[in-house]
Amino acid sequence: MNPKWLLPISLALGLGLLGVAGATRPLQKVQLWLDQRDSPHTARASALAPIIDCVNRVDRDTRLTYYPEPDKPTLDNYGDRNEPAPYLIQRSVCSQQYTVKLERQAPASDLLAAAGAYAQSLYDLTALADGSARVQARSLAPTGQEIAAEAKHKQLMLAYDQVVETYLTASTSLRQQLEDEDLRVRPAQLALLEARFGRDMQWHLLNYMITARQAVNQIERGVRDANLTPQQVADLTEALRKTAEDGRIFLNAMPSRRLDDEAIHLWYNIKAPADEYLKALVTLHQHWQDHAAPQQLSDDYYLVTRRYDALLSYYNRLARNAF
């Protein structure tokens, strides 16, 4: 497999969104109290949600935009493109407020330092990009000003590579730690749903998203550690297919299906990207079985991560509005 698509560009970390916390500290205090009355797992998930929101909505596209050549992937059209550009929502989604609930719940969490370093590196990167854009605009001015602007632009470019490297390092660190934290919450959340409501539509929806996430995580880990096998890809693909089928069977067996039910609406709306994700997994396995060239397998792996990214993109927007 082509190493350039390994850890730094694995954009599809499985970070599902539970809901966005309020922007103000008093409101977050109330929400945290309510969450803790529900369960410690709900409280932790709620505390992680604003950070997850930042990673899903801002960091994903920012990494794509600033990833250095020649490893920069194609900015193909994928996922929910109704999302505003990252720079338009950065201040509200990735502000320093996004760790308030986690600070109160787990003040010793290592994730707090990673989240703070990420927020600062994101600010530094966008500030540099804004400065560069203003300098380039002045370069169109009369000759004397143009020379000064060109000198300033060269200074900015000298700092650019270091700022981008710092950003990508902070992004990767935050993603890895956030994934570890979130993975500890999800099984408990699923069990809580089953205990309270049985295996209803929300349970099947969350179970599917966890399975989809586990597939891309295990494939990514196997590629990174160079121990992934075609059989593992086949097993993960079958697990995802079965989970989707279980959800479909449950939905079809419901005596009445209200389309205004949030979980049902969400299930229907992620079907197309879910099918594309499954298709990408099937293609990777088939090409590997057919002894395809390493570049083909690298392309297939990249497509799997992109199709998962697309699935997560649609799911996140709808889940933010629904739950």
Side-chain angles (χ1 to χ4, degrees):
M1 296 235 178
N2 190 330
K4 72 179 183 179
W5 300 124
L6 299 188
L7 182 62
I9 202 57
S10 288
L11 305 172
L13 293 181
L15 301 174
L17 180 67
L18 293 177
V20 183
T24 63
R25 288 175 180 266
L27 179 57
Q28 289 196 352
K29 291 179 185 177
V30 173
Q31 288 174 328
L32 183 59
W33 178 78
L34 290 173
D35 293 336
Q36 288 172 333
R37 287 181 62 85
D38 183 70
S39 82
H41 303 299
T42 300
R44 179 53 61 92
S46 182
L48 295 178
I51 309 173
I52 290 172
D53 194 33
C54 170
V55 168
N56 284 336
R57 301 176 67 193
V58 174
D59 182 60
R60 182 196 64 190
D61 286 353
T62 304
R63 285 172 67 95
L64 279 173
T65 300
Y66 292 104
Y67 200 79
E69 301 289 355
D71 296 334
K72 190 171 183 176
T74 302
L75 285 169
D76 55 309
N77 206 21
Y78 77 99
D80 174 25
R81 305 316 298 169
N82 293 321
E83 182 75 305
Y87 76 91
L88 294 175
I89 57 176
Q90 174 185 325
R91 289 185 179 181
S92 60
V93 176
C94 298
S95 74
Q96 295 292 349
Q97 295 287 334
Y98 76 163
T99 60
V100 168
K101 293 179 74 174
L102 185 61
E103 288 170 10
R104 292 191 168 276
Q105 188 190 87
S109 173
D110 292 338
L111 185 59
L112 291 170
Y118 173 78
Q120 184 61 52
S121 68
L122 177 64
Y123 172 82
D124 292 343
L125 179 63
T126 52
L128 182 64
D130 289 344
S132 178
R134 287 193 295 270
V135 167
Q136 286 180 324
R138 287 199 298 270
S139 70
L140 301 176
T143 305
Q145 296 181 36
E146 180 182 345
I147 294 173
E150 183 177 350
K152 181 64 174 177
H153 182 66
K154 286 181 179 179
Q155 292 178 354
L156 287 172
M157 288 303 98
L158 289 175
Y160 177 82
D161 288 346
Q162 182 58 50
V163 171
V164 168
E165 182 179 349
T166 299
Y167 172 78
L168 291 173
T169 299
S171 168
T172 299
S173 176
L174 176 62
R175 283 171 170 265
Q176 289 173 339
Q177 293 187 53
L178 187 57
E179 180 184 17
D180 291 342
E181 288 270 358
D182 198 36
L183 280 173
R184 286 192 281 269
V185 172
R186 292 302 177 177
Q189 185 193 21
L190 194 65
L192 188 62
L193 275 175
E194 183 173 6
R196 291 184 176 179
F197 308 109
R199 295 194 173 188
D200 63 358
M201 200 64 234
Q202 286 196 45
W203 185 92
H204 282 284
L205 182 62
L206 182 59
N207 188 46
Y208 173 79
M209 292 304 297
I210 291 174
T211 304
R213 168 189 183 164
Q214 289 172 337
V216 76
N217 282 356
Q218 290 184 42
I219 289 173
E220 179 189 37
R221 190 179 307 115
V223 170
R224 185 178 64 239
D225 298 340
N227 59 10
L228 186 67
T229 67
Q231 186 58 51
Q232 287 175 321
V233 176
D235 292 343
L236 293 168
T237 303
E238 176 58 23
L240 185 66
R241 187 204 63 76
K242 184 179 186 305
T243 302
E245 180 65 11
D246 288 346
R248 187 191 67 80
I249 291 173
F250 175 84
L251 184 61
N252 290 341
M254 292 178 67
S256 61
R257 281 174 280 171
R258 293 175 48 198
L259 294 182
D260 61 343
D261 181 280
E262 301 291 5
I264 294 175
H265 176 73
L266 189 47
W267 182 270
Y268 279 129
N269 277 275
I270 66 168
K271 183 180 185 306
D275 289 345
E276 290 299 315
Y277 176 48
L278 181 61
K279 189 185 303 181
L281 288 169
V282 170
T283 299
L284 172 62
H285 177 250
Q286 187 61 55
H287 284 170
W288 204 341
Q289 276 196 321
D290 295 342
H291 307 288
Q295 184 59 52
Q296 179 63 63
L297 296 179
S298 180
D299 291 344
D300 291 343
Y301 164 71
Y302 175 58
L303 184 62
V304 166
T305 66
R306 292 292 272 172
R307 291 295 171 255
Y308 177 77
D309 233 5
L311 169 64
L312 191 62
S313 177
Y314 282 104
Y315 172 81
N316 280 337
R317 178 174 63 87
L318 293 166
R320 274 196 304 275
N321 296 331
F323 301 111

